[in-house]
């Protein structure tokens, strides 16, 4: 019996809460309706209103200063603007109800008077002068009469409340659908390559295919001893986007103390390989060395060695990414085809790609470098593999945010409160990497997540697992994130940052870009380049 009573009490609790909520809503609506009816009745019964009182109101209004504060006018209990606004709000509700009851003529009359109210209130906003008695009186009278007419047609308060409630629910559903659609459209826009960049790729690829000397020059540079010299400063960028990659390199050499000692290793795909070679062979970046490699020549990166290759070739994965946005339960950003690109996962194979190197800085193609990064190469890593800026200043940037701790494989090995860190600007000790066999760790976790139950898509979750206990925290000023989505980053933080990261959908090369931050990226583009000028104008 006690169990039944407890269950009944548990059942009644949410019902009581819902009833309390709707009682409060109804009481509020009754109060608003009562106030509106009071104003209407006050104006409708002319015999109770004395002309001297109205004249005094008019004189008060005439003493208002030249430029009227419209907000104060609408709030003031003495103003005709407020009376008109209140009547108009009530009239709008009765327009909806009249239409639903097929009283189209009444709805038309109410709508006509509402437009008259709106015109008069617009005049107040434009001229800065209060509404006079002569202007307000005819509209107030006629609108009051129509509202009483609507009430006589049995549109009582209860009917009004129920109708408004149903319309509010319908509007909430429309708003939710619009939010989802907005997210989808924003994601599609973020994934699209602008025409000017596509034009640049086409022109550069054509040059690469037509100009044999460029290909000979690329062959010569491929054997440069500087590419394996550990006395130089090495950087790697994995991208298929020419102009952003150029900005990364240009900003890095522009702020380096000794740019000729910098070596950049670019890895791209077969489609962008010619464009990358065409651009970096014909432009000088302050004497730095630049190498471009094609991922399709990495024959060791196959399904038998790399679990990610096997997973990405799976038909279910292909359908997931290219099946459209019909399933709205899946976040649109998680369908981004970049997750299908092996370039995004190459960061876990850096020791295999550069077997002779000891240290390297990894840079995303959506960063801008503002200070000399070479001091990172002499940083004491305390035996760790990955130097990165931690992102747990806010509580949600911890391991539990990215990983499924309801799974025992995760919960038994990791601390959910462990601090997450950022990919995008990382210093890697490749000697320590090989010793800890981090790539094998990555393979293990990628195999464990073959069914997608341990984490959502992306490279950060497997990175958090693979580099767990092997990450050296860097000063926050080395890497400031959020310029691709956060509108309110402190200018002082941006100015002090060595690297700023446009992570998020609002990339600086897109029309979606945040206008405030875009000049930080634009300053490293040579707009006078003939191909860029031609592609922008065409």
């Amino acid at each position: 019996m006690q169990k039944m009573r407890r269950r009944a009490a548990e059942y009644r609790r949410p019902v009581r809460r819902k009833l309390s909520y709707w009682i409060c809503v109804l009481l509020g609506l009754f109060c608003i309706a009562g106030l509106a009816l009071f104003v209407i009745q006050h104006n409708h019964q002319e015999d109770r209103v004395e002309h001297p009182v109205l004249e005094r109101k008019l004189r008060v209004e005439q003493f208002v200063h030249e430029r009227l504060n419209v907000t104060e006018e609408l709030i003031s209990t003495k103003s005709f603007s407020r009376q008109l606004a209140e009547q108009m709000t009530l009239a709008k509700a009765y327009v909806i109800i009249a239409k639903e009851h097929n009283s189209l003529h009444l709805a038309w009359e109410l709508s006509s008077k509402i437009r008259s109210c709106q015109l008069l209130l617009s005049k107040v906003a434009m001229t800065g002068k209060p509404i006079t008695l002569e202007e307000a009186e005819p509209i107030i009278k006629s609108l009051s009469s129509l509202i009483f007419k609507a009430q006589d047609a049995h549109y009582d308060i209860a009917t009004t409340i129920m109708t408004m409630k149903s319309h509010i629910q319908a509007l909430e559903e429309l708003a939710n659908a619009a939010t989802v659609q907005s997210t989808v459209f924003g994601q599609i826009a973020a994934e699209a390559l602008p025409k000017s960049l596509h034009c640049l790729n086409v022109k550069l690829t054509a040059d690469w295919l037509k100009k044999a000397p460029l290909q000979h020059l690329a062959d010569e540079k491929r054997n440069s001893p500087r590419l394996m010299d550990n006395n130089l400063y090495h950087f790697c960028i994995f991208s298929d986007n020419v102009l952003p990659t150029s900005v990364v390199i240009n900003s890095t050499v522009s702020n380096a103390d000794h740019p000729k000692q910098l070596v950049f290793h670019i890895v791209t795909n077969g489609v962008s390989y010619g464009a990358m070679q065409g651009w970096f062979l014909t432009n000088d970046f302050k004497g730095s060395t630049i190498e471009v490699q094609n991922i399709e020549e990495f024959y060791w990166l196959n399904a038998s060695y790399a679990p990610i290759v096997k997973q990405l070739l799976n038909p279910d994965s292909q359908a997931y990414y290219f099946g459209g946005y019909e399933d709205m339960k899946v976040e649109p950003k998680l369908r981004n085809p970049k997750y299908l690109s092996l370039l995004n996962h190459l960061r876990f194979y850096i020791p295999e790609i550069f077997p002779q190197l000891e240290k390297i800085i990894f840079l995303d193609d959506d960063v801008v470098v503002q200070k000399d990064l070479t001091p990172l190469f002499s940083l004491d890593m305390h035996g760790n593999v990955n130097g990165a800026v931690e992102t747990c200043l806010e509580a949600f940037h911890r391991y539990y945010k990215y990983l499924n701790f309801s799974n025992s494989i995760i919960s038994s090995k990791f601390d959910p409160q462990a601090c997450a860190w950022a990919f995008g600007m990382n210093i890697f000790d490749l000697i320590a990497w090989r010793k800890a066999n981090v790539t094998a760790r990555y393979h293990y976790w990628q195999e464990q997540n073959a069914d997608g139950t341990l984490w959502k898509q992306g490279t950060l979750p497997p990175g958090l697992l693979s580099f767990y206990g092997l990450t050296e925290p860097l000063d926050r000023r080395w890497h400031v994130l959020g310029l691709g989505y956060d509108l309110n980053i402190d200018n002082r933080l941006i100015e002090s940052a060595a690297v700023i990261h446009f992570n998020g959908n609002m990339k600086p090369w897109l029309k979606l870009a945040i206008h405030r931050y875009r000049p930080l990226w634009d300053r490293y583009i040579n707009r006078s380049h003939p191909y860029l000028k031609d592609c922008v104008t065409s």
Side-chain angles (χ1 to χ4, degrees), residues 40 62 116 145 190 244 281 319 333 422 454 475 485 499:
I40 292 165
Q62 288 172 344
S116 299
S145 176
L281 288 172
K333 69 178 183 179
L454 301 187
D475 187 288
Y485 67 89
V499 173

Side-chain angles (χ1 to χ4, degrees), residues 21 31-32 93 104 149 158 160 386 402 404 410 438 444 468 479:
Y21 171 77
C31 290
I32 293 169
L104 299 182
K149 185 178 177 181
T160 305
N386 170 32
Y402 303 96
N404 179 16
I410 297 293
V438 174
Y444 169 79
Y468 187 70
H479 185 190

